[in-house]
Amino acid sequence: MWNAYDKFGPARNLPAPASGLSAVPSPLDWPMYQRDPTHSAAIPGEGIIHKAEVKWRFETEEPLLSSAAVVDGWVYLSTGDRRIVALDASSGELIWERRVTGPVDSSPAVAGDFLFVGLRDGGVLSLHKATGETQWQFATGGPIYSSPVVNQGEIYIGSGDSKLYALDALTGEERWSQLTGGRLTNGPATHDGVIAATSQDRTLYLMDTDTGKQRLDYRLSGVGGAPTFDLNGGNVLVADGSGVLRAIDWRQRDPPFEKLIQRVKFQLFMWGLLDSLPLQRGLIWRFQGPQSGLVGAPVVADYRVYVSSRSGILFALDRSTGKKLWEFKTAAAIETSPSVAAQTVFVGDYDGRLYAIDAATGKSQWEIEIGGPISSTPVIADGVIYLSSLNGTLYAIQ
């Protein structure tokens, strides 16, 4: 009863955030995981990166598990050797470093004068981006592996305590938190007053950004990766470990007692009293990929959706129907999301190869081997590609 009231009862009237800080990129920047609050991971334009040479390397002592952020000629990186670092984008030289309590999985997000990141000790840090000095810190109840999103004065981040948190980006004060059914290890995405997050309980949660109240819970067939908003299609896309990619209408809401009704219908189906399983509210289309599982966040560019699989296949789908347009086979497993610049798709594999693929045809344009398993989305900023590797090295490729 109380859960139903919390979900459908009156909304709390929260004051406006103390700022309008947002990790929204300029054309030459990549300020957060998957580039922006919707997780687009796509850069518009007509130019492509023709060369494939390592411009510089930044070496650390442990595997890198996060993507870099690039803003105004500086590169910000979380490391496995217990640091947050700022580098010169032109040379890779260290500008400053901040020691933290353990290895960092969370990719940093940069908004205004500040950098935001989560830690395995459960803390959320706000640092000054020019110096690395602490602005504020907030403690959650579990380890943080997910990456923050900063939008319109709020920072959203998931924790191992099964809660999604909304914090004031300027002060670090908690605005709301929402309990889910499992740990949140993937970064949330947000658009138009809605935040999407996947939990280890195999559920996609859609919530109101101003109150945290749940709008729609969509049960997945496996643990889902990070979600992506398709702004033109009106869908949120999520891939799961069972190999299914779904497009779900983020504008839908669960009516009262929807989950109870669905459970009753499922039992009736199991008893043979219904001919088919009930469809969940909000599904637009689904794509069944390999049983080895899909990984990371899908990417939407023009009329296509791109998604990676652990079997080493990159799929391109029609964004309206989910129909497969082409597939590209890499030499090894893929563990990360792709990214898109103009008409080129970039993806890295576990053997350390970065591939540039024609977005229209799925044909290879070029590839380069960097020498270590690629562990991040290819980050593209000002004509340079930044790749994290499990060998502890950040590569700048141009």
Side-chain angles (χ1 to χ4, degrees), residues 11 35 117 146 162 167-168 174 239 253 273 298 318 323 343 374 378 394:
R35 194 168 187 258
V117 69
S146 69
S162 302
L167 310 176
D168 190 292
E174 180 178 333
R253 290 178 180 267
L273 300 177
D318 184 288
K323 180 182 178 181
Q343 293 301 310
I374 294 172
L394 177 70

Side-chain angles (χ1 to χ4, degrees), residues 36 38 40 190-192 228-235 250 300 319:
D36 57 37
T38 68
S40 74
T190 184
H191 172 65
D192 196 24
T228 300
F229 280 91
D230 176 2
L231 303 190
N232 292 328
N235 305 323
W250 55 265
V300 183
R319 72 188 302 174

Side-chain angles (χ1 to χ4, degrees), residues 230-284:
D230 176 2
L231 303 190
N232 292 328
N235 305 323
V236 62
L237 302 166
V238 61
D240 68 36
S242 69
V244 179
L245 172 66
R246 292 175 176 84
I248 298 164
D249 186 349
W250 55 265
R251 295 161 295 194
Q252 292 284 332
R253 290 178 180 267
D254 280 334
F257 311 111
E258 174 74 5
K259 292 296 180 290
L260 175 61
I261 294 171
Q262 290 290 328
R263 284 196 294 269
V264 170
K265 288 182 176 179
F266 179 78
Q267 289 297 326
L268 292 175
F269 171 77
M270 295 299 292
W271 294 334
L273 300 177
L274 285 180
D275 293 333
S276 61
L277 281 171
L279 294 176
Q280 293 189 71
R281 182 179 300 272
L283 180 66
I284 303 300

Side-chain angles (χ1 to χ4, degrees), residues 56-69 75-87 102-108 120 145 147 335-336 349-350 370 372-377 379 386-396:
W56 53 256
R57 298 174 175 84
F58 178 77
E59 297 181 354
T60 71
E61 296 180 356
E62 297 292 340
L64 294 177
L65 301 173
S66 67
S67 301
V75 180
Y76 301 91
L77 181 69
S78 307
T79 75
D81 58 5
R82 305 187 177 199
R83 292 183 293 166
I84 312 296
V85 300
L87 312 173
V104 189
D105 304 78
S106 177
S107 300
R120 287 190 188 180
Y145 302 100
S147 301
E335 295 291 343
T336 64
D349 71 15
Y350 204 77
I370 63 171
I374 294 172
S375 55
S376 73
T377 301
V379 168
Y386 301 90
L387 291 173
S388 298
S389 173
L390 292 181
N391 66 10
T393 303
L394 177 70
Y395 295 87

Side-chain angles (χ1 to χ4, degrees), residues 33-34 41 295-299 308 334-339 346-348 376-378:
Y33 172 72
Q34 298 300 106
V295 296
V299 176
S308 303
I334 304 174
E335 295 291 343
T336 64
S337 307
S339 59
F346 299 92
V347 70
S376 73
T377 301

Side-chain angles (χ1 to χ4, degrees), residues 2-235:
W2 291 112
N3 287 340
Y5 181 83
D6 181 67
K7 186 171 181 177
F8 303 110
R12 292 163 288 176
N13 294 318
L14 295 176
S19 73
L21 289 172
S22 295
V24 177
S26 75
L28 300 180
D29 292 337
W30 190 292
M32 59 167 283
Y33 172 72
Q34 298 300 106
R35 194 168 187 258
D36 57 37
T38 68
H39 286 175
S40 74
I43 297 176
E46 298 180 356
I48 62 172
I49 298 173
H50 293 280
K51 297 171 63 177
E53 300 175 352
V54 176
K55 181 180 180 182
W56 53 256
R57 298 174 175 84
F58 178 77
E59 297 181 354
T60 71
E61 296 180 356
E62 297 292 340
L64 294 177
L65 301 173
S66 67
S67 301
V70 186
V71 176
D72 294 333
W74 286 25
V75 180
Y76 301 91
L77 181 69
S78 307
T79 75
D81 58 5
R82 305 187 177 199
R83 292 183 293 166
I84 312 296
V85 300
L87 312 173
D88 186 302
S90 62
S91 65
E93 293 183 0
L94 182 68
I95 299 173
W96 59 254
E97 66 177 10
R98 167 64 190 272
R99 293 282 177 178
V100 292
T101 55
V104 189
D105 304 78
S106 177
S107 300
V110 180
D113 293 329
F114 308 105
L115 175 152
F116 306 90
V117 69
L119 304 177
R120 287 190 188 180
D121 67 3
V124 183
L125 282 181
S126 172
L127 308 177
H128 197 286
K129 71 176 186 180
T131 64
E133 295 180 356
T134 300
Q135 303 303 302
W136 55 256
Q137 48 189 331
F138 176 86
T140 72
I144 296 178
Y145 302 100
S146 69
S147 301
V149 56
V150 187
N151 195 47
Q152 298 180 356
E154 292 185 305
I155 172 174
Y156 307 99
I157 193 166
S159 172
D161 63 5
S162 302
K163 289 183 180 180
L164 180 71
Y165 290 85
L167 310 176
D168 190 292
L170 192 63
T171 67
E173 295 181 358
E174 180 178 333
R175 293 178 58 78
W176 55 258
S177 62
Q178 182 63 256
L179 183 66
T180 71
R183 297 182 303 160
L184 289 92
T185 58
N186 295 304
T190 184
H191 172 65
D192 196 24
V194 178
I195 187 159
T198 55
S199 171
Q200 293 289 303
D201 66 351
R202 302 189 301 176
T203 302
L204 170 72
Y205 292 90
L206 300 178
M207 308 174 189
D208 289 323
T209 56
D210 55 353
T211 64
K213 286 190 176 297
Q214 295 180 24
R215 300 165 61 98
L216 180 72
D217 300 348
Y218 194 98
R219 187 71 174 173
L220 306 173
S221 51
V223 175
T228 300
F229 280 91
D230 176 2
L231 303 190
N232 292 328
N235 305 323

